[in-house]
Amino acid sequence: MSADLLSRSHATEGLSVLLLIHGPIGRLQTQVGTTDPATRGAGRSCMSGQYGSKAVMSLVVVQIGQCGNQIGQQLFEVVSMDGQSGRNESYWNTSQERFFSSSNDGVPVARAVLVDMEPKVISHTVSKAASSGRWRYGAQSAFCQKQGSGNNWANGFCVHGPQHEEAVMDLVQQEAEKCERLSGFVTMMSLAGGTGSGLGTFVTQCLRDRYPHSLIMNQLTWPYGTGEIIVQNYNTMLTLSHLYQSSDALLIQENDIIHKICSQLMNIKQISFTDINKVIAHQLASVLQPAYTRNHGTEYGSNPLGDLLESLVTHPEYKLLGLMNIPQMSDTSLQFSTFAWPGLLKHLRQMLMANTKMEAGLFKEQALYTSWMPVDSAFNIWRTPTSFNKYEKSATLVSNSQCLLKPLDSAVKKAWDMFASRAYVHQYTKHGISEEEFLDSFTTMEQVIASYSNLGLQS
């Protein structure tokens, strides 16, 4: 693997980093700057504080729009295949409780709600899940219409959202009530189109209103920089500005970066959205599957969203999470590859820190983080001895840092250039979004950009 494959020329300061390690560990602690056997499980305890809970808690996945439904189906597919490997009964039982409910026919039922304004994608998604034989969606878990959102955020947010709020939230309530203990919601959506971004934003606000004490994380697929939809920067800016008020964390995966993984690491010649979605789902599942989060690393964390947010979202101004996972390669290449922890972790760090000259200590140097976050608080390690998916050894890095600053700044600037010339603004105002609301969204996003930019100045 090329060391600079996914490097970006952005500043390096971060607020917090979570390293997840899957597979047989051995003496790995010496490679991440942790030498005390009592602290192999975590840089600090992720089970204490407001998010802690002793019993296994469940997630409800809300899949919205074409992108959200397709990636959601792939997520459950990865989780199902990974958990049913039979290698670790405790791992599977914890995973099962997080993602599935039981059924009379013995086939696990995904804890999911599927929403789209067109029926085709949902029909295909439900059918594909059932055909696996390993899991399925609930018979009453989907809501769809036949009128689309026309790639217009305002149409999804102002029109379809209020029209169908009760029907969608009734489905959410049914799934939430099936959970003995609810950790929170993972809402999966695209930033580019109309249904995923606009309706997804509306549903997230409804979740916050109706479940004020539950955690919400939005998985957001960032559109290609070259442009999929002419108004995608409007949709992106409006979505992020509103979600910043209602969501606890925004986990962003960029199509451009995933495309490079498919091309350069997985050697896929003609890359489809299915290929992209599989990689996104693999990365996401690596974060949400069970891991040891306590200091002594003796049991799986019980509260998946609570543990994650306690580790990474340490200040309400900073909610943007980036995700990296290694190794990722084709099945053919995997047959002839072996991996050692030092090489994997060194490469993962290089992906996080472009052009760094530091070599010792890997992730535990203060220079990696903003000055007001001590390393012991900023850096966390989770681990599981169970191999993840098809890789004997793998590692995932989730960072709350400046890694998303460059694409965010670019999208907001492009949206502003369009707004300054009033391009397509009438398409939004006719559905109920005023120009003042546009300006409020720009102000919100400029503040987010300023906050992340200041991480570097404070170091």
Side-chain angles (χ1 to χ4, degrees):
M1 292 180 291
S2 171
D4 63 352
L5 173 62
L6 302 181
S7 295
R8 304 184 181 117
S9 58
H10 54 68
T12 59
E13 289 79 4
L15 188 68
S16 52
V17 167
L18 172 63
L19 174 65
L20 299 97
I21 299 164
H22 304 266
I25 296 170
R27 298 178 60 82
L28 173 63
Q29 64 269 22
T30 62
Q31 300 298 328
V32 292
T34 304
T35 56
D36 181 359
T39 62
R40 283 182 292 178
R44 65 186 174 99
S45 174
C46 300
M47 294 297 295
S48 60
Q50 61 174 317
Y51 298 130
S53 176
K54 294 181 179 180
V56 176
M57 304 180 78
S58 304
L59 298 169
V60 172
V61 176
V62 184
Q63 307 172 184
I64 303 179
Q66 177 176 340
C67 179
N69 278 291
Q70 291 177 339
I71 295 176
Q73 185 271 326
Q74 292 289 350
L75 171 66
F76 284 107
E77 187 69 11
V78 171
V79 169
S80 177
M81 293 180 65
D82 179 58
Q84 290 183 346
S85 61
R87 289 169 292 183
N88 187 309
E89 183 177 357
S90 176
Y91 181 87
W92 165 239
N93 288 338
T94 303
S95 175
Q96 172 89 353
E97 185 61 30
R98 285 185 181 183
F99 290 100
F100 299 99
S101 58
S102 58
S103 65
N104 293 332
D105 60 10
V107 179
V109 178
R111 299 187 187 276
V113 173
L114 298 78
V115 182
D116 201 358
M117 289 297 99
E118 297 176 318
K120 182 178 179 181
V121 170
I122 285 185
S123 177
H124 180 72
T125 299
V126 171
S127 176
K128 193 172 182 180
S131 67
S132 73
R134 291 184 300 272
W135 66 281
R136 60 178 174 83
Y137 286 107
Q140 305 297 324
S141 63
F143 175 85
C144 62
Q145 293 290 291
K146 297 182 179 181
Q147 68 261 39
S149 297
N151 296 322
N152 187 313
W153 186 91
N155 196 8
F157 183 82
C158 298
V159 180
H160 294 320
Q163 282 181 353
H164 307 301
E165 175 181 354
E166 291 305 316
V168 172
M169 295 311 295
D170 283 349
L171 294 181
V172 170
Q173 182 177 343
Q174 290 176 24
E175 286 301 324
E177 289 177 349
K178 293 178 185 177
C179 302
E180 185 173 347
R181 295 172 179 84
L182 177 65
S183 175
F185 302 92
V186 177
T187 302
M188 308 184 69
M189 49 197 272
S190 168
L191 287 168
T195 298
S197 64
L199 183 59
T201 301
F202 184 87
V203 170
T204 301
Q205 291 187 355
C206 291
L207 291 173
R208 174 55 65 218
D209 291 340
R210 299 200 185 194
Y211 300 90
H213 303 298
S214 294
L215 300 173
I216 302 171
M217 182 176 76
N218 292 78
Q219 182 277 331
L220 305 173
T221 302
W222 195 280
Y224 283 101
T226 53
E228 301 171 49
I229 298 166
I230 196 167
V231 292
Q232 68 181 34
N233 294 305
Y234 278 166
N235 294 340
T236 296
M237 188 269 301
L238 289 165
T239 301
L240 292 174
S241 64
H242 283 74
L243 290 181
Y244 231 79
Q245 312 304 318
S246 54
S247 180
D248 295 295
L250 309 179
L251 180 62
I252 296 175
Q253 293 166 282
E254 301 173 68
N255 272 342
D256 285 317
I257 301 301
I258 305 299
H259 193 99
K260 288 183 180 180
I261 291 173
C262 291
S263 173
Q264 300 179 34
L265 294 183
M266 307 188 78
N267 298 317
I268 300 173
K269 303 304 179 184
Q270 295 183 330
I271 299 170
S272 67
F273 278 112
T274 298
D275 298 318
I276 298 287
N277 294 340
K278 285 182 178 180
V279 173
I280 291 176
H282 172 86
Q283 292 185 344
L284 184 60
S286 72
V287 175
L288 297 177
Q289 281 288 66
Y292 295 158
T293 59
R294 297 191 177 191
N295 281 333
H296 296 286
T298 57
E299 59 183 284
Y300 292 114
S302 61
N303 187 350
L305 284 189
D307 295 341
L308 194 68
L309 268 58
E310 187 178 23
S311 298
L312 289 163
V313 185
T314 56
H315 191 286
E317 286 187 24
Y318 303 93
K319 297 182 180 182
L320 302 179
L321 306 182
L323 177 59
M324 306 171 188
N325 177 270
I326 58 169
Q328 291 185 112
M329 59 178 55
S330 67
D331 292 341
T332 302
S333 299
L334 185 61
Q335 297 178 41
F336 304 100
S337 302
T338 58
F339 305 99
W341 285 121
L344 285 176
L345 296 181
K346 182 178 180 181
H347 179 66
L348 194 61
R349 183 178 178 278
Q350 288 170 329
M351 291 165 63
L352 174 67
M353 302 299 302
N355 302 318
T356 181
K357 295 183 180 179
M358 295 177 290
E359 296 181 358
L362 286 178
F363 298 98
K364 294 209 72 175
E365 308 100 339
Q366 181 64 58
L368 294 174
Y369 309 99
T370 189
S371 59
W372 47 270
M373 281 293 290
V375 171
D376 287 344
S377 296
F379 176 61
N380 296 268
I381 307 169
W382 293 1
R383 64 181 183 89
T384 175
T386 301
S387 300
F388 173 65
N389 212 358
K390 59 186 179 181
Y391 300 104
E392 181 190 8
K393 297 184 180 75
S394 63
T396 302
L397 199 70
V398 191
S399 63
N400 189 340
S401 69
Q402 294 178 329
C403 68
L404 293 163
L405 188 55
K406 184 177 179 180
L408 177 61
D409 189 47
S410 176
V412 173
K413 285 181 177 178
K414 290 177 180 178
W416 177 255
D417 289 343
M418 290 181 63
F419 183 77
S421 64
R422 296 301 185 268
Y424 303 100
V425 172
H426 69 284
Q427 297 289 347
Y428 287 73
T429 56
K430 74 178 184 180
H431 289 302
I433 292 293
S434 67
E435 292 193 11
E436 288 74 17
E437 289 176 279
F438 262 103
L439 291 173
D440 288 344
S441 291
F442 280 116
T443 300
T444 298
M445 294 319 300
E446 286 167 0
Q447 179 58 52
V448 172
I449 291 171
S451 295
Y452 275 95
S453 297
N454 287 337
L455 285 177
L457 297 177
Q458 294 166 11
S459 297

